Amino acid sequence: MKINYSFVVFLYAYLNQVDLSLDRSRWEHLDNLRDFYRSQISPKKVANYLIDNLGLDVKKLNKLIFIGEESLWDKIKDSLLSSFKRDVILEDDKVYFLCQKLLLLDNFLEDGEHVHKLEIEKLRIEFSKLNYGTIKFKLAKKDRLKANNIEHFLQNEILSTIKICEFNKGYF
């Protein structure tokens, strides 16, 4: 699926924020993470944007989807092509997988019930694998470095971070 390059930069920053926030949430009550995401772009909005703009089949989101790791050749090829900053190609299964995980995270954040810490950690690892194993290689180095400084839950106040709205080019 072809995805606009600037949206992929946003997606990389957003998934980085999710990864860091879920990691930091291990030491806090989940309600604090829920409060943080009330002032952020919700995972459901990102998933719905992908569903609507890429014409995804909503029925397929209910199916179990597994994704494999990118091969070394694919990572090298994507790194070389990233300097052209054209539309990014993501495999269908990876986009569906991402939407499933974003909707699952949204359920965790919206549901007032207790979610086991291992479920949160498993979800964090899945986001991390997709972001750093696939999407990262599709971006130019300067865009990756900027997105790595994203604000997140329980961030160190000394660090200089960038708000997610700086990556949002009118998508939300």
Side-chain angles (χ1 to χ4, degrees):
M1 293 185 176
K2 277 188 177 183
I3 304 174
N4 179 289
Y5 181 83
S6 63
F7 185 76
V8 176
V9 173
F10 164 81
L11 202 54
Y12 179 78
Y14 188 79
L15 294 178
N16 191 18
Q17 179 190 63
V18 167
D19 178 28
L20 292 169
S21 296
L22 290 178
D23 180 60
R24 302 314 188 270
S25 73
R26 291 185 287 181
W27 297 282
E28 291 280 322
H29 195 275
L30 190 58
D31 287 338
N32 296 335
L33 181 65
R34 288 178 177 129
D35 290 341
F36 173 77
Y37 269 97
R38 285 188 184 104
S39 66
Q40 301 295 314
I41 299 168
S42 76
K44 187 174 187 172
K45 280 186 181 179
V46 177
N48 285 337
Y49 179 87
L50 288 166
I51 292 166
D52 294 342
N53 288 290
L54 298 177
L56 301 182
D57 180 7
V58 179
K59 293 175 190 170
K60 190 171 180 180
L61 288 172
N62 297 326
K63 297 179 182 174
L64 189 58
I65 298 173
F66 295 99
I67 58 170
E69 258 187 70
E70 293 282 318
S71 70
L72 180 59
W73 169 246
D74 286 337
K75 290 177 183 179
I76 292 169
K77 180 182 68 166
D78 287 341
S79 292
L80 294 172
L81 293 174
S82 68
S83 60
F84 296 110
K85 296 183 187 169
R86 294 190 188 129
D87 290 343
V88 173
I89 306 288
L90 278 178
E91 296 171 11
D92 291 4
D93 283 348
K94 290 185 179 171
V95 176
Y96 278 101
F97 181 83
L98 173 59
C99 288
Q100 281 181 339
K101 299 309 169 186
L102 287 168
L103 292 171
L104 179 60
L105 175 60
D106 194 70
N107 284 341
F108 287 169
L109 294 174
E110 292 298 317
D111 196 351
E113 294 180 24
H114 176 73
V115 179
H116 197 279
K117 295 284 186 185
L118 288 176
E119 289 181 78
I120 297 283
E121 182 61 12
K122 181 179 179 241
L123 187 59
R124 185 195 71 77
I125 291 169
E126 289 170 332
F127 280 124
S128 184
K129 281 182 175 180
L130 181 61
N131 204 31
Y132 305 118
T134 300
I135 297 173
K136 169 185 173 180
F137 297 101
K138 298 184 182 296
L139 301 178
K141 185 177 180 179
K142 75 176 182 92
D143 293 327
R144 285 194 320 260
L145 292 175
K146 183 178 177 185
N148 285 337
N149 292 319
I150 193 71
E151 67 176 344
H152 57 277
F153 177 67
L154 280 184
Q155 68 192 19
N156 186 336
E157 297 301 323
I158 297 171
L159 297 177
S160 174
T161 58
I162 301 171
K163 294 194 175 294
I164 193 68
C165 63
E166 291 189 32
F167 295 95
N168 181 9
K169 309 261 189 220
Y171 302 117
F172 306 100

